Amino acid sequence: MNRSFVPILYIRLRKRVTAAPGETLTLGKVAHLMTEPDMEKKLLELPICKLSERDGHVVLIDMMQIVAAVRSLYPRLQVEHFGEPHVLIDIQTRSKPPNRAALAVVWVLLFIGSGMAIMNFHEDVSMMEVHQRIYEMITGRRAEHPYWLQIPYSFGLGAGMVVFFNQLFKKRLSEEPSPLEVEMFSYQESLNHYVITEEYKKMLPAAQAEAGGGDGQTPPGKRNDGDLP
């Protein structure tokens, strides 16, 4: 038995996308596509939603919205998606110019605070006495300020921080991420998970309201991607 040809759309949503208020998001901006060449061009320009100022700073687009939009253009197109079933849209607002005075104050506070933290740590572990003891063990004489130990130690402390954070100003020492970058990545992932959870909670009452006011038919986009109309 001969079966009719059913085109397939392979789609992978991007993780996070930046957009401007009032912008109309197209499928090509929020996802990577692969399908028949004659369909791909139209699908890349397919509008998904229009952003407004009432949407806030973050908008979640679910895969169901994508499937509904694609089926409205090509009803017989089979959709196969990979990866996460949602994409976060960051709505950019006009950024204010940096306040140089506040930046200077924060820099001074961080500089003093980090210096105080290092000095308090050295006081807790009696670093001065350790240097004096090492100097006495090597030379046989006791010195209140063994500078030939303390000065190299101070330079080594700064060099160790540079190696630990794997960055000197804007230059990276190696391709490996620094511990700070790993922690920032973990924080961003947790933040994304929280935002996605909260956005789904907002979408749930709206979906229940539509289901309650419907005629009992299956809502668009709720079928299996492999089903044909």
Side-chain angles (χ1 to χ4, degrees), residues 88-139:
L88 284 174
I89 311 298
D90 286 325
I91 302 179
Q92 283 186 336
T93 56
R94 293 182 179 180
S95 58
K96 298 180 180 179
N99 190 331
R100 296 184 181 274
L103 180 62
V105 171
V106 172
W107 186 89
V108 170
L109 290 176
L110 289 176
F111 181 80
I112 296 175
S114 59
M116 292 293 293
I118 294 174
M119 288 188 292
N120 289 334
F121 168 76
H122 285 168
E123 185 66 25
D124 289 340
V125 299
S126 302
M127 187 63 68
M128 174 68 78
E129 297 179 7
V130 171
H131 285 172
Q132 292 172 349
R133 181 59 178 162
I134 293 175
Y135 183 85
E136 186 178 359
M137 291 173 60
I138 296 175
T139 64

Side-chain angles (χ1 to χ4, degrees), residues 47-80:
I48 302 300
C49 70
K50 185 173 182 179
L51 304 176
S52 64
E53 295 181 355
R54 295 178 299 175
D55 294 327
H57 298 286
V58 179
V59 174
L60 178 71
I61 295 181
D62 186 65
M63 192 63 201
M64 287 299 184
Q65 297 174 254
I66 305 290
V67 173
V70 170
R71 290 275 176 90
S72 66
L73 183 62
Y74 295 108
R76 293 181 57 83
L77 185 62
Q78 179 178 339
V79 180
E80 297 285 348

